[in-house]
């Protein structure tokens, strides 16, 4: 199968099929890594309005585009309907303070298809023919409360009477360094309409900062060599040739525009410009009619080919271009722009995409379900993004730029100076969350294991490497606060990916062992930092449950004291189970791991005893209510439950593991140690359930006893508590009328 062969060639480094992909962010402005302010207000330091005129330091963004895995050479679309006040070069949305529910992209766009190597990609953007309602979206949403729904683009009426363009971007690789670009522009209205479409190629600015780290380069160059053909030269990327095809039947010929990817400092800051041509030149030329904005020299670091298209109602126009290495890696398309050959490659790649999904998911045969599956996978695959953030350099600032405020040296992320991120990473979303969240990524890798096993494994390993993981063993959370605490799901994801990516007997033990060794550091960090008294009862902060506590669990308590968390303790028991399971798997091929299996078994049982209060120290299970609660502990003699029934109290259900004798009996040392542990620690034996079935004895490790489990399930399955028509509520329905009284407050 063609796509599987490409994955194998990429894995073996025979060909670099994944060098080019949808790695271009959809929002680089308003991010922490572009923020050099004193107060850490990233939304106002680098705004959407500035983004068309200001060069980015750590990345790029664009519309329906792609780039190489180091984001050196970028391709994207720019659009203008003749009415908007700005050229549409990137997606628009509300900042965190502007949205009534936080940051929110206000565009209609869709990821439709992609293969894992991005040998074929397809996405769609709906562009209004009337003026885009930028100010209305800001003003109306700003006036709405958190209890009101968000005001969306379609609510403005801008799509009424089908007065919009469907812009469909497709990319197909003829070879690993040969990308065919096709943009189909549909006029969905009942009237003939005009649209400006500017396919744009540019280099990320890696030369102006004076930086010395990996990725800083001399200034790149794009020059026109003949009509509609451009040569691209970069210090660390092979030379490329971009060739644009003519569009037949249009009254005006395409126009070539050149500029530099540099900041317009006079406009932005009122200071003298250091160059004559700037990033915003195409906007000024096309929208403002400023003819001197673009360079006449037929060279620069940013080039666009501007097509002014007149499209009849219900009809379409297709734009084609091709980006190849120099010399071109294939001669399939001739210099005469053989459109038939161009389309043949697209047809072939689309057929190979269908074959890949049919083979990978043979159980999905219904046509509509196939479309849903492919679009879901496209969303996952298109959300891979080049992410660049070197904290030490970011804190200090660049040699050739203004020195940032010294307060930053003790501000956000200052304890993560070792962190060196320069990779393609799976994002939660490339506009609303164009930065990784480590526990989100762990979940992403489960479906990725079906699509691209090597990518799934490499991403999980990446976050455990020494340039990501803290020397203390903490995994970085997200750029707003790397030292925030996420639920410890990485071990679970590692073991799931290990199992999903190969059948038993052929699995990647080296991957599992490499991850396990680093996960021990992470486990130790949790024990040392989140259980300071060594009682096997853990804190952790919000742990992914932002809005269901009596107060913010990530901040100092208004009552003083500390919080003992049912979910934090449950998560650590879950972490123990996963580490125990992994060590047992590894022990089958390397007996030295039996010692670690014994360690995690004993630690798990100790956590179970502590959370259930079985040693007289007062656990987190309230016998009166039959539910787990967080506990406010003011000192050794004063504590009380926070009786708010929420997901917090259900988290301990996650921590369970079945050990089967037919597997563990092969591990003599582990079996011997377990037997001694249970015989000599009778007070702990009640935390383990034994059962024999057809001669095979099983041991169930879990937090709740049978009686506790039945009590928890009575709440979970009660429609007046947690069970809703749409799934499990995060808060019990009864909290709507309930109040919380804290006696010691």
């Amino acid at each position: 199968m063609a796509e599987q062969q490409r994955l194998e060639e990429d894995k073996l480094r025979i060909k670099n099929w994944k060098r080019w992909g949808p790695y271009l962010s959809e929002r680089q402005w308003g991010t922490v890594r572009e923020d050099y302010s004193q107060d850490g207000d990233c939304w106002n330091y680098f705004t959407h309005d500035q983004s068309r005129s200001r060069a980015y330091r750590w990345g790029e963004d664009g519309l329906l585009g792609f780039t190489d895995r180091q984001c050196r050479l970028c391709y994207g679309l720019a659009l203008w309907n003749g009415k908007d006040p700005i050229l549409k070069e990137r997606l628009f949305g509300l900042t965190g303070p502007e949205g009534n529910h936080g940051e929110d992209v206000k565009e209609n766009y869709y990821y439709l298809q992609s293969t894992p190597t991005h040998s074929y990609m397809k996405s769609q953007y709906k562009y209004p023919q009337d003026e885009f309602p930028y100010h209305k979206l800001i003003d109306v949403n700003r006036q709405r409360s958190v209890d009101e729904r968000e005001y969306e683009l379609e609510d403005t009426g801008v799509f009424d009477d089908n007065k919009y363009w469907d812009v469909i971007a497709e990319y197909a690789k003829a070879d690993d360094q040969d990308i065919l670009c096709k943009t189909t522009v549909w006029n969905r209205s009942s009237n003939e309409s005009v649209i400006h479409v500017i396919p744009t190629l540019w280099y990320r600015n890696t030369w102006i900062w004076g930086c010395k780290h990996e990725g800083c380069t001399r200034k790149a160059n794009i020059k026109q060599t003949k009509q509609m053909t451009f040569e691209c030269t970069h210090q660390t990327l092979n030379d490329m040739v971009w060739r644009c095809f003519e569009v037949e039947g249009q009254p005006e010929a395409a126009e070539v525009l050149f500029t530099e990817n540099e900041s317009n400092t006079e406009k932005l800051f009122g200071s003298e410009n250091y160059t004559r041509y700037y990033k915003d030149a195409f906007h000024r030329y096309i929208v403002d009619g400023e003819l001197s904005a673009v360079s006449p020299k037929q060279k620069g670091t940013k080039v666009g080919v501007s097509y002014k298209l007149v499209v009849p109602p219900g009809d379409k126009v297709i734009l084609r271009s091709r980006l190849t290495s120099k010399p071109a890696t294939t001669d399939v398309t001739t210099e005469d722009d053989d459109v038939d050959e161009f389309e043949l490659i697209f047809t072939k790649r689309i057929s190979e995409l269908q074959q890949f999904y049919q083979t990978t998911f043979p159980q999905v045969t219904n046509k509509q379900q196939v479309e849903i599956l492919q679009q879901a996978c496209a969303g996952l695959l298109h959300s891979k993004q080049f992410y660049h953030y070197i904290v030490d350099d970011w804190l200090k600032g660049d040699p050739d730029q203004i020195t940032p405020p010294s307060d930053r040296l003790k501000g956000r992320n200052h304890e993560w100076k070792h962190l060196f991120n320069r990779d393609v990473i799976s994002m939660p979303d490339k506009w609303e969350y164009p930065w990784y969240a480590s526990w989100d990524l762990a979940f992403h890798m489960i479906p990725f294991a079906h699509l691209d096993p090597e990518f799934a494994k490499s991403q999980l390993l990446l976050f455990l490497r020494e340039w990501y993981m803290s020397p203390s063993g903490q995994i970085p959370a997200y750029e707003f606060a790397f030292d925030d605490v996420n639920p410890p799901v990485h071990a679970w994801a590692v073991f799931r990916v290990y199992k999903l990516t190969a059948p038993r007997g052929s699995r990647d033990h080296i991957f599992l062992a490499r991850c396990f060794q680093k996960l021990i550091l992470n486990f130790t960090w949790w024990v040392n930092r989140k259980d300071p008294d060594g009682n096997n009862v853990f804190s952790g902060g919000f742990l992914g449950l932002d809005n269901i506590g009596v107060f913010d669990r990530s901040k100092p308590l208004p009552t003083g004291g500390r919080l003992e968390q049912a979910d934090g303790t449950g998560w650590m028991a879950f972490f123990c189970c996963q580490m125990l399971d992994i060590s047992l798997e590894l022990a089958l091929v390397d007996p030295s791991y039996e010692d670690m299996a014994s360690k995690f078994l004993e630690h798990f049982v100790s956590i179970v005893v502590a959370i259930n209060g079985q040693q007289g120290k007062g656990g987190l299970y309230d016998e009166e209510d039959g539910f787990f609660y967080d506990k406010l502990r003011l000192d050794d003699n004063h504590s009380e439950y926070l009786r708010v029934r929420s997901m917090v109290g259900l988290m301990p259900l996650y921590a369970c593991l079945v050990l089967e004798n037919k597997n563990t009996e092969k591990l003599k040392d582990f079996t011997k140690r377990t037997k001694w542990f249970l015989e000599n620690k009778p007070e702990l034996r009640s935390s383990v359930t034994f059962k024999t079935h057809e001669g095979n004895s099983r041991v169930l490790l879990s937090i709740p006893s049978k009686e506790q489990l039945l009590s928890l399930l009575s709440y979970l399955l009660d429609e007046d508590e947690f069970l809703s028509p749409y799934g499990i509520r995060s808060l019990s329905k009864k909290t709507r009328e309930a109040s919380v009284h804290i006696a010691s407050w």
Side-chain angles (χ1 to χ4, degrees):
M1 188 173 68
E3 181 62 16
Q4 289 289 8
Q5 181 178 344
R6 283 189 285 269
L7 285 168
E8 187 66 16
E9 288 175 347
D10 189 83
K11 174 184 174 181
L12 299 176
R13 300 191 177 185
I14 297 171
K15 285 194 173 183
N16 203 351
W17 282 108
K18 288 188 279 190
R19 165 176 276 182
W20 301 92
Y23 313 140
L24 187 63
S25 180
E26 282 153 4
R27 178 173 64 82
Q28 186 69 16
W29 62 272
T31 59
V32 166
R33 54 199 182 278
E34 296 292 343
D35 175 23
Y36 286 81
S37 67
Q38 184 169 5
D39 59 4
D41 184 1
C42 59
W43 290 114
N44 289 310
Y45 180 78
F46 202 134
T47 66
H48 174 265
D49 189 53
Q50 292 177 337
S51 63
R52 65 179 175 274
S53 305
R54 189 173 177 181
Y56 294 124
R57 170 63 178 86
W58 297 101
E60 283 290 344
D61 58 20
L63 182 64
L64 305 184
F66 69 87
T67 185
D68 66 276
R69 63 160 53 95
Q70 294 179 21
C71 194
R72 291 163 290 194
L73 185 57
C74 308
Y75 174 94
L77 300 177
L79 309 170
W80 190 52
N81 56 17
K83 300 175 183 178
D84 282 355
I86 62 175
L87 186 68
K88 176 73 69 173
E89 295 180 273
R90 58 189 51 81
L91 297 171
F92 169 75
L94 306 182
T95 68
E98 288 172 340
N100 62 322
H101 296 151
E103 60 265 39
D104 186 20
V105 63
K106 295 299 181 184
E107 304 271 17
N108 285 32
Y109 63 105
Y110 311 90
Y111 307 127
L112 300 179
Q113 290 176 309
S114 181
T115 58
T117 63
H118 312 295
S119 57
Y120 177 76
M121 298 184 288
K122 183 178 182 181
S123 54
Q124 177 182 8
Y125 174 69
K126 292 184 179 293
Y127 185 43
Q129 294 179 358
D130 287 334
E131 182 177 337
F132 195 95
Y134 291 105
H135 294 295
K136 190 174 185 180
L137 287 165
I138 294 172
D139 293 341
V140 174
N141 277 286
R142 183 177 280 152
Q143 295 166 9
R144 293 195 173 187
S145 71
V146 295
D147 297 322
E148 296 178 272
R149 63 181 295 272
E150 297 162 7
Y151 187 65
E152 304 293 0
L153 181 59
E154 54 267 34
D155 297 329
T156 68
V158 76
F159 292 125
D160 291 355
D161 301 321
N162 291 330
K163 293 177 67 177
Y164 67 90
W165 303 94
D166 260 332
V167 181
I168 299 173
E170 295 176 87
Y171 305 104
K173 295 180 183 178
D175 208 338
D176 61 335
Q177 307 301 313
D178 187 358
I179 305 113
L180 282 60
C181 314
K182 181 166 72 170
T183 303
T184 305
V185 183
W186 285 91
N187 177 7
R188 298 303 188 188
S189 75
S190 56
N191 299 308
E192 181 179 86
S193 299
V194 177
I195 184 173
H196 298 253
V197 182
I198 308 95
T200 306
L201 196 69
W202 72 99
Y203 280 110
R204 177 167 65 92
N205 191 325
T206 56
W207 53 84
I208 198 65
W209 319 103
C211 54
K212 302 297 182 184
H213 60 71
E214 185 181 17
C216 300
T217 67
R218 296 190 297 270
K219 189 173 182 178
N221 185 56
I222 304 172
K223 65 179 180 180
Q224 186 169 1
T225 55
K226 51 187 174 182
Q227 185 179 14
M228 306 288 275
T229 301
F230 312 90
E231 289 188 2
C232 311
T233 306
H234 189 277
Q235 182 180 347
T236 65
L237 182 67
N238 50 300
D239 293 350
M240 303 293 290
V241 175
W242 186 42
R243 188 156 46 86
C244 298
F245 295 11
E246 292 286 355
V247 178
E248 296 182 359
Q250 290 298 311
E252 296 186 24
E255 188 175 9
V256 175
L257 309 176
F258 272 100
T259 189
E260 303 290 349
N261 186 13
E262 305 277 7
S263 294
N264 186 341
T265 54
E266 182 177 351
K267 175 188 175 183
L268 292 163
F269 313 115
S271 59
E272 184 179 355
N273 280 312
Y274 57 88
T275 183
R276 187 173 176 184
Y277 303 104
Y278 330 116
K279 179 180 176 181
D280 58 12
F282 299 170
H283 160 81
R284 290 159 47 225
Y285 181 85
I286 295 170
V287 178
D288 297 339
E290 187 180 334
L291 301 184
S292 62
V294 296
S295 172
K297 297 181 179 180
Q298 296 185 322
K299 67 177 182 178
T301 50
K302 180 178 179 180
V303 62
V305 178
S306 180
Y307 299 87
K308 184 178 180 181
L309 306 177
V310 180
V311 188
D315 206 350
K316 69 179 186 292
V317 173
I318 298 176
L319 309 181
R320 298 176 178 87
S321 67
R322 187 167 191 167
L323 181 66
T324 64
S325 62
K326 181 187 176 185
T329 57
T330 179
D331 295 323
V332 175
T333 300
T334 68
E335 286 292 322
D336 297 327
D337 301 334
D338 189 337
V339 173
D340 291 338
E341 293 289 352
F342 188 98
E343 290 297 328
L344 184 63
I345 295 171
F346 270 92
T347 300
K348 185 177 181 182
R349 293 293 178 260
I350 292 170
S351 175
E352 291 166 354
L353 176 143
Q354 298 296 347
Q355 184 186 36
F356 172 79
Y357 282 99
Q358 289 168 7
T359 304
T360 307
F361 303 97
Q363 69 277 22
V364 182
T365 56
N366 177 273
K367 181 180 178 182
Q368 187 178 43
Q369 291 178 347
V370 168
E371 291 176 356
I372 293 170
L373 170 68
Q374 290 185 10
Q375 191 166 348
C377 293
L380 193 67
L381 291 161
H382 274 84
S383 293
K384 293 159 67 175
Q385 176 192 306
F386 171 74
Y387 184 87
H388 194 200
Y389 189 15
I390 303 171
V391 171
D392 193 34
D393 286 38
W394 174 78
L395 288 170
K396 296 174 182 175
D398 291 311
D400 292 351
Q401 303 299 308
I402 297 173
T403 303
S406 59
D407 292 357
R408 287 163 42 87
L409 296 174
K410 294 185 180 297
R412 173 179 282 157
N413 296 331
H414 73 278
E415 295 180 342
W416 290 80
K417 293 184 180 68
H418 74 285
L419 192 111
F420 192 109
N421 294 167
R422 187 167 164 260
D423 299 281
V424 171
I425 300 175
S426 178
M427 299 289 147
D429 181 275
K430 289 202 297 187
W431 195 97
E432 295 193 10
Y433 311 105
W435 31 262
Y436 62 75
S438 56
W439 83 302
D440 295 55
L441 179 137
F443 287 109
H444 298 173
M445 292 309 110
I446 307 308
F448 256 118
H450 296 282
L451 297 169
D452 187 350
E454 292 306 310
F455 180 77
K457 290 189 286 187
S458 67
Q459 291 277 283
L460 292 170
L461 269 170
L462 182 64
F463 277 73
L464 301 175
R465 295 306 303 265
E466 52 274 21
W467 54 90
Y468 277 71
M469 176 182 272
S470 166
S472 68
Q474 185 177 10
I475 295 174
Y478 34 75
E479 66 176 28
F480 276 89
F482 283 128
D483 56 0
D484 212 340
V485 183
N486 289 161
V489 297
H490 213 85
W492 168 81
V494 164
F495 204 37
R496 287 294 297 145
V497 167
Y498 165 79
K499 290 180 177 179
L500 288 169
T501 50
R504 183 177 291 278
S506 303
R507 292 172 178 164
D508 191 345
H509 286 91
I510 294 177
F511 159 74
L512 190 62
R514 290 177 68 190
C515 290
F516 181 79
Q517 291 160 13
K518 289 297 187 71
L519 286 166
I520 292 172
L521 299 179
N522 184 234
F523 185 90
T524 304
W525 176 86
W526 268 90
V527 171
N528 291 338
R529 297 293 182 89
K530 299 304 172 183
D531 178 23
D533 294 335
N535 293 328
N536 294 307
V537 176
F538 294 82
S539 59
F542 86 101
L543 289 177
L545 301 176
D546 306 45
N547 304 314
I548 66 171
V550 179
F551 34 67
D552 188 339
R553 301 190 302 166
S554 293
K555 294 181 179 179
L557 303 181
T559 60
R562 67 179 186 276
L563 201 61
E564 297 176 345
Q565 295 182 213
D567 56 339
T569 307
W571 278 121
M572 277 304 287
F574 174 80
F575 197 174
C576 269
C577 283
Q578 301 308 309
M579 294 297 278
L580 169 57
D581 215 6
I582 293 173
S583 55
L584 290 172
E585 178 77 8
L586 291 170
L588 293 173
V589 294
D590 184 348
S592 66
Y593 285 94
E594 291 188 56
D595 294 347
M596 296 306 298
S598 297
K599 177 261 182 301
F600 285 111
L601 172 64
E602 296 180 21
H603 207 138
F604 172 81
V605 174
S606 297
I607 292 173
V608 173
V609 169
I611 195 173
N612 285 322
Q614 293 173 352
Q615 289 186 325
K617 294 182 180 179
L620 304 182
Y621 184 78
D622 180 19
E623 295 288 352
E624 181 180 340
D625 287 0
F627 200 78
F628 287 101
Y629 295 115
D630 285 350
K631 181 178 281 187
L632 178 62
R633 185 169 294 281
L634 298 175
D635 55 48
D636 289 341
N637 299 316
H638 298 87
S639 65
E640 64 178 291
Y641 293 116
L642 297 180
R643 287 187 168 85
V644 177
R645 278 198 291 280
S646 71
M647 284 287 290
V648 164
L650 300 176
M651 294 295 182
L653 291 172
Y654 293 173
C656 60
L657 180 65
V658 175
L659 302 180
E660 299 202 26
N661 184 58
K662 65 181 181 180
N663 295 325
T664 58
E665 67 182 1
K666 303 172 187 176
L667 308 173
K668 303 301 183 184
D669 287 347
F670 174 75
T671 302
K672 181 179 178 181
R673 174 60 183 169
T674 301
K675 182 179 179 182
W676 182 94
F677 179 68
L678 295 175
E679 288 178 351
N680 289 273
K681 300 281 187 178
E683 71 278 11
L684 307 182
R685 187 180 176 89
S686 60
S687 302
V688 180
T689 301
F690 297 88
K691 186 175 182 179
T692 300
H693 178 69
E694 296 181 354
N696 180 33
S697 61
R698 295 176 176 176
V699 175
L700 171 64
L701 305 177
S702 66
I703 288 180
S705 65
K706 179 180 178 180
E707 293 72 20
Q708 290 173 334
L709 176 62
L710 292 173
S711 180
L712 292 170
L713 291 177
S714 71
Y715 288 110
L716 179 64
L717 303 177
D718 186 344
E719 294 182 2
D720 291 325
E721 292 273 0
F722 288 99
L723 187 62
S724 82
Y726 309 103
I728 304 302
R729 300 182 179 97
S730 58
L731 280 168
S732 167
K733 187 177 180 180
K734 290 188 176 179
T735 59
R736 186 176 295 174
E737 291 82 26
S739 60
V740 179
H741 176 70
I742 302 176
S744 54
W745 194 353

